């Protein structure tokens, strides 16, 4: 039974991992369209978007 739960959790993690990267890519595209290629340098908080969680980005 534990193996079944582990498999489901592993599958859920993969889905969430992919969703996170899709959302980051979407945000990058929207920010680039709105503020240009150097939008990352023009925002007040200079944090690497690749090292943030979704709730920290929005």
């Amino acid at each position: 039974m534990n193996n079944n739960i582990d498999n489901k959790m592993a599958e859920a993690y993969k889905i969430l991992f992919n969703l996170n990267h899709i959302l980051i890519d979407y945000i990058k595209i929207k920010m680039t369209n709105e503020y240009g290629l150097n939008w990352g340098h023009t925002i007040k908080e200079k944090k690497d978007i690749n090292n943030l969680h979704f709730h920290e980005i929005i």
Side-chain angles (χ1 to χ4, degrees), residues 3 9 11-13 16-17 19-22 24 27 33-34 37-38 40 46-47 49-50 53-56:
N3 195 22
M9 290 184 68
E11 186 63 29
Y13 178 80
L16 291 173
F17 182 84
L19 177 61
N20 181 58
H21 285 280
I22 289 168
I24 288 172
I27 291 168
N33 289 342
E34 185 71 25
L37 292 174
N38 291 322
K46 295 192 180 207
K47 295 182 180 178
I49 194 170
N50 294 315
H53 298 284
F54 180 68
H55 70 276
E56 295 173 309

Side-chain angles (χ1 to χ4, degrees), residues 33-51:
N33 289 342
E34 185 71 25
Y35 300 107
L37 292 174
N38 291 322
W39 66 267
H41 297 289
T42 60
I43 59 174
K44 289 181 182 178
E45 290 187 40
K46 295 192 180 207
K47 295 182 180 178
D48 184 7
I49 194 170
N50 294 315
N51 294 324

